[in-house]
Amino acid sequence: MTSTNRWIHDAVDPKTRTWEEFYRNRWQFDRVVRSTHGVNCTGSCSWNIHVKDGIVTWEMQALDYPTLDADIPPYEPRGCQRGISFSWYLYSPLRVKYPYMRGALLDLWRKARAEHDDPVAAWRSLVSDPEKRGRWQRARGKGGLRRVDWDTCLELISASCVQTIQDRGPDRIAGFSPIPAMSMISYASGSRFLQLIGGTSLSFYDWYCDLPNASPEIWGEQTDVNESADWFNAKFLAVMGSNLNMTRTPDCHFAAEARHNGTKMVVFSPDFSQVVKYADEWIPLNAGQDGAWWMAVNHVILKEFHHEQQTAAFLDYCRVYSDSPFLVELTAKDGAFEAGQLLRAGRLAGYADEENGEWKFLVCDENDGRPKMPMGTVGHRWGDAKGKWNLLPRDGRDGSDIDASLTFLGDVGATARVRLDDFAEGRSVHRDVPVREIELADGSKVTVATVYDILMAQYAVPRDGLGGDYPADYDDASQSYTPAWAERYTGIDRKTLLRFARQWASTAEHTGGKCTVIIGAGVNHWYHANLMYRAAIHSMIFCGCVGTNGGGMAHYVGQEKLAPMESWSSIALAKDWVPAVRLQNTPSWHYINSDQSRYEKNARDYHTVPDGVTPGGYADCHTIDANVRAVRQGWLPFYPQFQKNSLDVVAEAEAAGATDAAGVSKHVVDELVARKLKFAIEDPDAEEAWPRVWLIWRGNAIMSSAKGHEYFLDHYLGTHTNHISESLAGEAVKEVTWHEMAPQGKLDLIVDLNFRMDTSALYSDIVLPAATWYEKDDLNSTDMHSFIHPLSAAVPPCWESKSDWDIFKAIAKSFSKIAAKHYPQPVNDVIAAPLLHDTPAEIAQAGL
């Protein structure tokens, strides 16, 4: 036998190929379960989970997505490298397999339980002793977690909640969990428990800077964006702060496919990021200077396409779909005018008796030149009249048609010199604006301009007959928003900007607004992100892009789009049991309760403030003072709410003669007005105002989501910290009580539900093993596609882990048992009964 034949014989000999059995066995399975990953990535990809003998062996992308449109590429492939490796998490050495408690706390708890029959009394004996309390606080983050049984953990957690409610108030119990949309039922389990016991649910989307503040600032809604398939419809994609193939991995193919559909893509990124490979052009703006770029782009668009060419589609869009034609009152001050508030309809004789006239606004009609009140402004929405919710170009009083004037430039030449803030240069500028005078009901006259004309002046767009601090041309760098001015900040030459602005506007003109900005965390997590967003949004409003398929603002940071909001919130916020809920914006909560307010002064100390800004306003106001004022005026819910237990507040009202909710409310208002009762925010460092119990689930609240981690360690946890800042606010704060010594370790107990031993778990007092996404049933939705995706349990929870719902159900059951001694039975039943059912479906079936 030749050597060649011997080699062939050996290669096909079964004895030499037994190694293949290992490979075949590795990919065996006996069933497949559809699920997804409840992670805050906006993906919500469908995965087939392969199971063999009760163990997850591997996962693979599903391919049976619904078809949107025959002209749009299909959703698949959807998935990423992180998702296809998640099965390793289930059996990872870092998996939290059992309940754990900090050893220092466990020793103290066992001793206290031996001394007290009542677990509430046992917990009270620990938290009322500074030495004992400090012992487990100082141990936080230093290891020492011990495996413990479920019953011990549940009893301690329940006792801490009951004691806190009794001694401090239910709103001293707070819970944090990230965006509900990624696993709706799991989020609802904890938030429902908190609302049923009077606790506080902390916000999420705003806290870790995923919410684009520009969205509610401009449109009054949170984040209403197109789904990723619409990228294919765009003809111009501008990508900024979003590295698509890294952070939008399941959706990136739509951007690549759009390129084959004739779409141009420009990427703005200071570094040569991965997404640049898809681009026609890479523009390496200096970091954080996207706003300067877009402001100059808008200057060009307004000058060339609005003023000089007067592109009909752009002007009509601004007239109909923006506030551009609304009238702004100008007030005289120090020899110039300043833009004030929108002119109210109720101030004119023709609308003096109009319902909610102070919340209905005016435009000038091109046809007869008189001010008219279009339907659908804020006052119409809250009045008795029906059918006026939509902003229609008809007068809300007489129904006459309105052709709103965008500008008064073509009038007889009346102008007013208006002072405008130039924050870029820290100064004020004075520019002429075309105006009109309008007679009010009392016979006086008021000077008004349109929003559009003021915008033109703010953007430094020179127009015939208008004097003042306008630039001579595009090369004038002395005035803000010119291409030459932007060049100083962005590092990109003015010719590139001019070319981009003209291509952007021309594309919108010829395609009906099919220009899209894809934007993400790279911008949204930057300082003054809202201003950068708004500058880009302006470019799309000026070009008629928002609301058009293939056009608009495509913000994707965080999986915010929870589809079945109304039905879900009834369960998640316990609306079927309690009439009101305690919801708290987390930025204020942490800023104040973790004492970060102590380490800064007024806004003027770290902001550029134009020289014309009046002293004594918000520029000279400490941020915590602004929060206090908002709370006092009822604008801002804040918890803990009062300096004393809210249960005691009600008891005092009843003792004073209150017999119903209205009587209690009146008593509270009277006490606040008399300054006998104060808000907790007015003295947040007073011991009676501290938050006491913090529940964390589905997220990493300590370090990963903590803006100001070292302050958390110091003022919340009372453990080791490396913060070196000195308290600065003593002379700056006016509305709060100042303490020379800041408190350390405000929180009595931190509980974390987790399947990973992450930072929050390492710093918590109790860690409870939570089921992973492959071990529970749940729901998931996202703004990147139009369907709700179920998570299905492929295997039961491993080791001693439980689903979030089952964990909070167990806590509620233990709470109910312990609370029976301390609360009347009817109250106890109301608190615990809804969570004792196995699933939200059973709650609905029980008629609760």
Side-chain angles (χ1 to χ4, degrees):
M1 182 181 294
T2 67
S3 60
T4 300
N5 290 337
R6 169 66 66 182
W7 180 84
I8 293 173
H9 177 269
D10 291 343
V12 298
D13 186 351
K15 293 181 180 179
T16 66
R17 302 186 62 183
T18 55
W19 63 271
E20 295 178 5
E21 291 302 311
F22 175 82
Y23 186 82
R24 293 190 183 96
N25 292 338
R26 170 65 182 86
W27 303 107
Q28 283 183 342
F29 60 94
D30 48 40
R31 65 191 183 98
V32 179
V33 179
R34 182 193 293 276
S35 192
T36 187
H37 306 106
V39 64
N40 192 18
C41 71
T42 75
S44 188
C45 306
S46 185
W47 289 88
N48 291 321
I49 315 305
H50 296 71
V51 180
K52 175 67 174 177
D53 295 332
I55 296 176
V56 175
T57 55
W58 54 290
E59 55 271 271
M60 182 54 65
Q61 296 155 279
L63 302 175
D64 55 347
Y65 289 89
T67 300
L68 277 178
D69 188 295
D71 296 328
I72 296 177
Y75 277 115
E76 68 267 4
R78 289 187 70 83
C80 69
Q81 301 91 327
R82 283 83 69 190
I84 205 167
S85 62
F86 181 73
S87 55
W88 290 89
Y89 265 111
L90 273 70
Y91 313 111
S92 164
L94 298 179
R95 174 75 188 268
V96 179
K97 303 179 178 68
Y98 310 101
Y100 293 96
M101 187 180 297
R102 198 153 299 285
L105 175 59
L106 181 60
D107 291 340
L108 289 166
W109 175 248
R110 285 173 173 168
K111 185 176 180 181
R113 283 298 282 121
E115 297 171 353
H116 299 273
D117 292 334
D118 181 7
V120 175
W123 180 251
R124 184 176 289 115
S125 72
L126 297 182
V127 295
S128 60
D129 187 328
E131 183 178 346
K132 293 177 180 177
R133 185 171 176 270
R135 184 173 163 190
W136 77 77
Q137 287 185 326
R138 289 189 298 273
R140 289 168 174 164
K142 299 175 182 175
L145 291 170
R146 294 189 212 159
R147 179 177 170 181
V148 68
D149 61 277
W150 270 99
D151 289 342
T152 299
C153 292
L154 295 173
E155 183 184 61
L156 191 153
I157 295 168
S158 302
S160 71
C161 290
V162 173
Q163 179 271 331
T164 300
I165 292 171
Q166 278 190 322
D167 298 353
R168 305 294 184 180
D171 55 358
R172 273 68 173 172
I173 303 170
F176 174 81
S177 189
I179 209 97
M182 62 191 197
S183 49
M184 304 176 197
I185 307 304
S186 296
Y187 179 92
S189 61
S191 63
R192 184 175 179 83
F193 172 76
L194 284 164
Q195 294 308 316
L196 287 170
I197 67 171
T200 302
S201 294
L202 301 178
S203 65
F204 31 82
Y205 193 42
D206 53 346
W207 168 238
Y208 36 75
C209 302
D210 285 359
L211 188 155
N213 292 331
S215 190
E217 287 170 2
I218 290 180
W219 292 299
E221 51 72 46
Q222 184 170 277
T223 318
D224 202 2
V225 298
N226 55 342
E227 61 177 272
S228 53
D230 196 45
W231 301 349
F232 186 76
N233 294 319
K235 290 305 175 185
F236 201 138
L237 290 172
V239 182
M240 50 191 289
S242 185
N243 197 5
L244 296 181
N245 43 329
M246 173 61 73
T247 61
R248 301 277 78 80
T249 309
D251 307 284
C252 187
H253 67 91
F254 286 119
E257 289 154 349
R259 296 291 315 285
H260 296 286
N261 195 34
T263 301
K264 177 171 182 173
M265 180 189 287
V266 174
V267 172
F268 301 99
S269 176
D271 62 332
F272 194 85
S273 60
Q274 286 183 326
V275 71
V276 172
K277 70 180 181 181
Y278 295 99
D280 294 284
E281 185 175 4
W282 169 46
I283 299 179
L285 299 178
N286 290 333
Q289 297 304 323
D290 305 72
W293 171 271
W294 284 104
M295 294 295 276
V297 167
N298 292 332
H299 174 90
V300 175
I301 292 172
L302 289 173
K303 183 177 185 296
E304 298 187 8
F305 290 83
H306 278 244
H307 174 55
E308 296 173 352
Q309 295 178 207
Q310 297 190 13
T311 307
F314 294 176
L315 298 180
D316 289 342
Y317 183 95
C318 287
R319 180 180 292 108
V320 175
Y321 295 110
S322 78
D323 63 357
S324 295
F326 281 89
L327 302 181
V328 178
E329 182 178 353
L330 301 181
T331 57
K333 180 182 177 182
D334 298 332
F337 283 86
E338 291 184 346
Q341 62 181 10
L342 293 178
L343 183 62
R344 268 52 175 174
R347 298 180 65 191
L348 273 63
Y351 304 107
D353 60 347
E354 185 71 23
E355 181 188 22
N356 298 329
E358 284 298 302
W359 291 97
K360 294 177 180 177
F361 311 112
L362 300 166
V363 300
C364 272
D365 187 18
E366 285 275 10
N367 298 317
D368 58 19
R370 68 182 178 91
K372 287 188 177 181
M373 177 183 66
M375 297 179 180
T377 56
V378 176
H380 288 103
R381 301 185 178 197
W382 299 105
D384 293 332
K386 297 189 184 206
K388 294 183 179 179
W389 271 72
N390 291 323
L391 189 60
L392 299 177
R394 291 199 295 272
D395 187 87
R397 172 60 67 92
D398 59 25
S400 61
D401 290 336
I402 299 175
D403 183 12
S405 299
L406 270 180
T407 177
F408 297 152
L409 187 64
D411 282 7
V412 293
T415 63
R417 183 142 299 189
V418 177
R419 187 190 70 80
L420 300 164
D421 293 329
D422 184 349
F423 285 91
E425 307 300 328
R427 66 186 180 185
S428 296
V429 294
H430 295 79
R431 293 170 182 152
D432 286 351
V433 173
V435 297
R436 286 183 184 175
E437 281 193 343
I438 292 178
E439 185 172 341
L440 302 179
D442 61 5
S444 63
K445 292 185 177 181
V446 62
T447 302
V448 299
T450 65
V451 170
Y452 185 82
D453 279 333
I454 294 175
L455 265 176
M456 281 286 200
Q458 183 71 65
Y459 271 110
V461 178
R463 295 183 289 172
D464 296 338
L466 300 180
D469 301 324
Y470 285 99
D473 51 35
Y474 286 154
D475 294 322
D476 185 351
S478 68
Q479 296 297 327
S480 297
Y481 314 138
T482 65
W485 168 88
E487 189 176 282
R488 293 160 42 200
Y489 292 95
T490 64
I492 304 299
D493 71 277
R494 63 200 73 177
K495 293 180 180 178
T496 301
L497 187 143
L498 283 165
R499 175 168 47 80
F500 173 87
R502 289 163 179 162
Q503 289 179 355
W504 180 263
S506 179
T507 301
E509 180 183 7
H510 289 90
T511 64
K514 294 185 181 295
C515 295
T516 294
V517 172
I518 299 176
I519 193 166
V523 173
N524 201 49
H525 289 185
W526 200 274
Y527 198 48
H528 289 319
N530 63 322
L531 303 183
M532 289 186 269
Y533 268 66
R534 286 166 63 175
I537 291 170
H538 275 190
S539 76
M540 289 178 285
I541 294 176
F542 296 151
C543 295
C545 302
V546 180
T548 300
N549 280 118
M553 192 68 167
H555 160 92
Y556 309 109
V557 191
Q559 195 158 322
E560 59 84 28
K561 195 64 70 179
L562 192 146
M565 174 60 76
E566 189 60 32
S567 55
W568 169 85
S569 61
S570 296
I571 295 173
L573 302 179
K575 291 181 178 180
D576 51 340
W577 277 74
V578 294
V581 295
R582 283 184 169 131
L583 305 179
Q584 166 72 52
N585 86 83
T586 302
S588 291
W589 198 82
H590 283 315
Y591 175 74
I592 291 161
N593 288 319
S594 69
D595 278 305
Q596 295 186 46
S597 60
R598 297 178 62 91
Y599 302 97
E600 63 180 11
K601 296 182 180 180
N602 297 335
R604 198 182 289 271
D605 291 309
Y606 52 91
H607 275 299
T608 298
V609 179
D611 51 23
V613 173
T614 303
Y618 278 101
D620 298 292
C621 173
H622 195 286
T623 304
I624 194 172
D625 287 343
N627 277 262
V628 173
R629 294 175 188 175
V631 170
R632 284 180 183 157
Q633 297 183 74
W635 304 341
L636 181 71
F638 188 87
Y639 304 100
Q641 190 168 22
F642 301 119
Q643 285 285 356
K644 59 176 66 174
N645 192 329
S646 56
L647 303 182
D648 294 339
V649 172
V650 175
E652 290 172 4
E654 292 173 342
T659 57
D660 56 15
V664 172
S665 296
K666 183 179 184 306
H667 174 82
V668 170
V669 171
D670 291 343
E671 292 289 290
L672 287 170
V673 171
R675 305 298 289 152
K676 295 178 181 178
L677 177 64
K678 293 187 177 182
F679 292 105
I681 194 175
E682 297 181 80
D683 190 1
D685 284 347
E687 188 173 352
E688 57 270 19
W690 298 350
R692 294 290 177 163
V693 177
W694 192 12
L695 306 178
I696 302 168
W697 72 107
R698 299 169 61 254
N700 194 7
I702 302 176
M703 194 175 87
S704 179
S705 294
K707 308 300 184 292
H709 175 64
E710 300 297 332
Y711 304 115
F712 277 43
L713 300 184
D714 189 0
H715 303 298
Y716 277 162
L717 276 63
T719 187
H720 63 284
T721 174
N722 293 318
H723 92 67
I724 58 176
S725 301
E726 296 180 1
S727 295
L728 302 172
E731 297 181 1
V733 296
K734 308 299 182 187
E735 306 288 350
V736 299
T737 301
W738 177 256
H739 295 251
E740 288 300 329
M741 296 297 297
Q744 293 180 302
K746 292 183 177 181
L747 292 168
D748 294 338
L749 185 70
I750 306 170
V751 180
D752 185 31
L753 284 61
N754 218 321
F755 60 78
R756 288 178 282 219
M757 191 57 75
D758 60 17
T759 336
S760 294
L762 293 172
Y763 279 104
S764 293
D765 302 310
I766 295 176
V767 184
L768 300 178
T772 67
W773 303 314
Y774 293 171
E775 299 169 327
K776 61 184 178 183
D777 297 328
D778 217 309
L779 295 172
N780 182 296
S781 67
T782 172
D783 44 9
M784 301 297 266
H785 53 57
S786 55
F787 48 84
I788 299 175
H789 198 131
L791 287 80
S792 302
V795 294
C798 295
W799 291 280
E800 293 186 20
S801 64
K802 303 176 186 288
S803 69
D804 300 83
W805 188 271
D806 283 339
I807 292 175
F808 278 107
K809 182 181 71 174
I811 294 173
K813 187 173 183 179
S814 175
F815 181 97
S816 177
K817 179 180 177 182
I818 292 174
K821 178 180 177 180
H822 299 271
Y823 295 102
Q825 189 63 33
V827 175
N828 185 45
D829 287 344
V830 168
I831 290 174
L835 263 167
L836 297 184
H837 293 265
D838 288 334
T839 66
E842 291 191 16
I843 290 179
Q845 293 167 6
L848 301 179

